[in-house]
Amino acid sequence: MTPGVPRWVLAPAALGAAFVLLPLVAIVARVPWADFGELVTSESSRDALGLSLRTSATSTVLCVLLGVPMATVLARTSFPGQGLLRSLVLLPLVLPPVVGGLALLYTFGRRGLLGESLEVVGIQVAFSTAAVVMAQTFVALPFLVVSLEGALRTAGERYEVVAATLGARPSTVFRRVTLPLVLPGLLSGAVLSFARALGEFGATVTFAGSLQGVTRTLPTEIYLLRETDVDGAVALSLVLVVVAVVVIGVARQRPGRSGALL
């Protein structure tokens, strides 16, 4: 028998839920439904939505490729300075996105730390579609690392120890024991990363700019439209909300047992 929750908890819980839901209700109420189809299917809107989906999917793949090894090292090893390294890896979670964009610009821009060397070999990163992917990966990667590291710590190491005792090599243990064990946490982290990348704005507009079809993602299109076409901005905002809800809803259909966040 569960002890239940104190009654006094219900009021602030309801207030918190209303605080989150009311702005969404306000957007739905403000949408010009008569012109909704026309507003969300304009050429610039379709370009922005398509670019956002493509770059978010690419950045999510990068988050998995980079985040899985990072989370494994943080969860399964111990070395001096590990706490500091973890704090730095998670820094984009609390860093203002525009600061992240400036950091990327001063690293990969034409006069940046690595940008000048890349320019010599003919690679220009800033203000390109690649810059959009990099900005989204920068802000979304910590979500996957946090989710997967939690899943790894919750799962423990007993099955890995047994597999190693039976003679399995570390790579075999990682591929056939560790990853299947934390797969729900990995999927949740990937979904969170995709949702964060989809909504990224500050770092993207700072590092990649806003060129239709090349770097103008859906959040940037919404920001620009709110100055000239409020109805269009509201309609696209609703599209972004619906996509995010669908993504989270899909993730919830995959209940995890190993530290899944959703």
Side-chain angles (χ1 to χ4, degrees), residues 97-98 100-110 124-136 138 200-210 215:
V98 66
L102 282 175
L104 289 171
L105 190 62
Y106 290 137
T107 304
F108 299 101
R110 294 186 62 181
Q124 184 173 344
V125 178
F127 305 106
S128 66
T129 303
V132 175
V133 174
M134 293 175 68
Q136 291 175 338
F138 182 78
E200 164 50 31
F201 170 68
T204 302
V205 77
T206 304
F207 183 43
S210 172
T215 63

Side-chain angles (χ1 to χ4, degrees), residues 96-120:
V98 66
V99 176
L102 282 175
L104 289 171
L105 190 62
Y106 290 137
T107 304
F108 299 101
R110 294 186 62 181
R111 299 181 181 278
L113 190 63
L114 302 177
E116 291 187 4
S117 300
L118 293 174
E119 188 89 3
V120 171

